[in-house]
Amino acid sequence: MFNKKFAKLLYILPIIFGLAACGETEKSEVIKVGATVGPHAEVVEAVAEEAAKQGLQVEVVIFSDYITPNAALADGSLDLNSYQHLPFLNNFNKNSDQKIVSIGHSILMRMGIYSNKYKSVTNLPENARISIPNDPTNGGRALLLLADAGLITLKPDADSKTTVYDVVENPKNFEFVEVEAAQLPRTLDDVDASVITMNYVMSAGLSPKEQGIYLEAKDAEFAVMNIAARVEDKDNATYKKFVEIFQSEATRQFLEKTYKGTIEAAF
């Protein structure tokens, strides 16, 4: 009798373990991806929908500030995040002693020179008034863009911390009006040109095609946003799959349809 029970148990156990194994196989892995509220979150949510079709479950965690998404990634609360350019990421690592890396490009958010009065930077007149952001990072970025456009010359070691005091040549004697970044679109009727980040271009309903007279290059380090991971996870196959889905034609079409040129693919 013992042998029959034992034999029956041996027959049943493989079935139980087999069912358990099937359950594990069918259970989809869920990864948490952080993004800041607005376009970054909207794009990641679109990617999450496409990922679900391919068996990858993505939970989008939305943040209202720029520091917490990296802190949450560093402490393991997130698997990935998507919202920042490399200078910001590198600065976070430097200040927090963390090791977060980019594992792929996401979207382009280019700063641009905008004008309601002129169609080209070459048409800007002598003594033109140009409004720029008054915060250190975006102010320096604006001056670098003006230099890239050939309008001014900066000191050789100019970087994102550059200020108006680092302008060494200003041939047309431009006047730089420093304004809070969010208010720059409102200055367009009062100045000759304004240097505005893409998030405020979007919120103000400006058109890069109609009012943009010079945009950052598509490979500019401040314009290219990134998908970030902890350095030990940079080769994780699941995270690479997420990047592959993010950088798919489906995402490109979503960007073109939704943002019509204000936000572009960085891949």
Side-chain angles (χ1 to χ4, degrees):
M1 186 174 179
F2 174 81
N3 289 337
K4 287 183 178 179
K5 286 184 176 180
F6 185 72
K8 187 175 182 181
L9 182 61
L10 291 177
Y11 175 77
I12 294 173
L13 283 175
I15 297 175
I16 294 173
F17 285 122
L19 289 172
C22 287
E24 289 297 320
T25 302
E26 292 171 2
K27 183 180 178 181
S28 297
E29 182 177 2
V30 179
I31 63 171
K32 290 185 177 182
V33 181
T36 47
V37 65
H40 286 293
E42 292 166 1
V43 177
V44 174
E45 286 172 341
V47 174
E49 289 184 16
E50 184 64 26
K53 300 175 186 177
Q54 301 187 35
L56 177 61
Q57 300 302 311
V58 177
E59 178 184 339
V60 184
V61 183
I62 302 176
F63 296 85
S64 59
D65 70 283
Y66 295 103
I67 302 301
T68 311
N70 273 342
L73 178 58
D75 70 19
S77 301
L78 296 175
D79 298 302
L80 302 170
N81 68 37
S82 177
Y83 78 105
Q84 63 193 312
H85 50 57
L86 276 180
F88 186 89
L89 185 155
N90 292 335
N91 190 59
F92 173 82
N93 284 337
K94 180 180 178 181
N95 293 331
S96 63
D97 197 29
Q98 296 294 337
K99 293 182 179 179
I100 292 174
V101 296
S102 169
I103 60 171
H105 294 162
S106 56
I107 59 177
L108 283 174
M109 295 190 73
R110 297 194 279 172
M111 176 179 269
I113 303 172
Y114 289 78
S115 178
N116 283 347
K117 301 175 181 177
Y118 303 98
K119 295 297 183 182
S120 170
V121 290
T122 58
N123 294 335
L124 290 172
E126 297 275 343
N127 304 311
R129 299 176 73 235
I130 302 176
S131 56
I132 64 174
N134 66 359
D135 61 283
T137 300
N138 285 314
R141 182 180 175 186
L143 291 168
L144 288 170
L145 183 59
L146 290 166
D148 188 67
L151 299 175
I152 58 174
T153 301
L154 300 170
K155 292 179 180 178
D157 59 350
D159 58 18
S160 62
K161 296 180 181 179
T162 291
T163 72
V164 292
Y165 299 106
D166 297 311
V167 177
V168 294
E169 290 184 23
N170 183 4
K172 289 189 174 183
N173 195 35
F174 294 139
E175 177 188 351
F176 301 109
V177 183
E178 296 181 278
V179 178
E180 184 181 348
Q183 302 303 318
L184 286 167
R186 297 184 181 181
T187 69
L188 280 173
D189 289 333
D190 301 317
V191 297
D192 297 287
S194 182
V195 189
I196 311 173
T197 55
M198 189 57 73
N199 53 326
Y200 294 123
V201 167
M202 292 181 62
S203 62
L206 302 179
S207 169
K209 292 182 180 179
E210 297 297 324
Q211 295 155 289
I213 58 176
Y214 194 85
L215 298 177
E216 280 178 323
K218 290 190 175 184
D219 60 352
E221 62 176 1
F222 288 105
V224 179
M225 303 295 124
N226 294 269
I227 302 162
R230 293 177 293 276
V231 67
E232 61 268 26
D233 294 328
K234 64 184 179 65
D235 296 319
N236 181 293
T238 301
Y239 301 168
K240 284 186 173 182
K241 181 178 179 180
F242 175 82
V243 173
E244 182 182 331
I245 296 170
F246 198 118
Q247 297 178 344
S248 67
E249 184 60 27
T251 304
R252 189 183 296 276
Q253 290 180 9
F254 171 81
L255 292 171
E256 291 175 355
K257 180 180 179 181
T258 306
Y259 301 110
K260 297 178 174 59
T262 54
I263 293 179
E264 305 165 272
F267 46 87

